[in-house]
């Protein structure tokens, strides 16, 4: 990596750290949405681009991570710990899904991951005691919004 690339990375990192302090809540929302979709795109690039496998479970893992973070922060767990726990849970579930999926390839892998995505969707939608059903988790409060 040359000096120009290193300088660009430093400037971009500093920009990403400083800018949210000068934005209104909607701007922070847009940056957060961009970050989440970027992470999803990177994951899709790894599976489809580098591995050459068609996986339709990206949305399911994002949903698992999002609900895990929301439920844990609602229970009083600090956000940073809930974020790490959500990643660990998504990783563990992906690992468990990966073992049976290792036996299949190409469009059969797409069928397995589509079935998993459908299962996760049905659990998140129908288990009202856990996720609030079709209404979602409506009692979330954000410390960032309550301080302003």
């Amino acid at each position: 990596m040359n000096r120009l690339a290193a300088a660009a990375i430093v400037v971009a990192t500093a920009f990403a750290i400083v800018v949210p302090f000068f934005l209104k809540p909607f701007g922070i929302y847009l940056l957060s949405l961009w970050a989440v979709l970027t992470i999803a795109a990177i994951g899709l690039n790894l599976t489809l681009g580098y591995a050459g496998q068609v996986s339709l479970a990206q949305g399911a893992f994002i949903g698992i991570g999002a609900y895990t973070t929301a439920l844990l922060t609602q229970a009083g767990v600090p956000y940073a710990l809930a974020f790490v726990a959500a990643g660990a849970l998504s990783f563990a579930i992906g690992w468990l899904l990966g073992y049976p999926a290792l036996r299949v390839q190409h469009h059969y892998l797409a069928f397995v991951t589509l079935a998993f995505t459908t299962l996760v969707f049905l659990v998140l939608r129908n288990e009202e005691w856990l996720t609030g059903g079709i209404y979602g988790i409506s009692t979330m409060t954000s410390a960032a919004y309550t301080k302003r």
Side-chain angles (χ1 to χ4, degrees), residues 82-105:
F83 184 78
V84 170
L89 180 64
S90 294
F91 177 79
I93 292 173
W95 191 273
L96 291 174
L97 176 67
Y99 272 116
L102 284 174
R103 305 283 186 258
V104 295
Q105 293 180 357

Side-chain angles (χ1 to χ4, degrees), residues 36-119:
V36 168
L37 293 177
T38 300
I39 292 169
I42 290 170
L44 190 59
N45 184 36
L46 287 173
T47 56
L48 185 60
Y50 292 113
Q53 298 291 327
V54 178
S55 173
L56 301 174
Q58 296 295 117
F61 290 118
I62 291 171
I64 290 168
Y67 270 104
T68 302
T69 303
L71 291 170
L72 288 176
T73 54
Q74 223 178 11
V77 175
Y79 176 75
L81 184 60
F83 184 78
V84 170
L89 180 64
S90 294
F91 177 79
I93 292 173
W95 191 273
L96 291 174
L97 176 67
Y99 272 116
L102 284 174
R103 305 283 186 258
V104 295
Q105 293 180 357
H106 305 297
H107 59 280
Y108 296 112
L109 178 64
F111 292 151
V112 169
T113 57
L114 180 62
F116 173 73
T117 301
T118 304
L119 174 72

Side-chain angles (χ1 to χ4, degrees), residues 1 5 18 44 46 95 98 100 127 133 139-140 144:
M1 178 176 351
V18 171
L44 190 59
L46 287 173
W95 191 273
E127 298 302 322
T139 58
M140 290 296 297

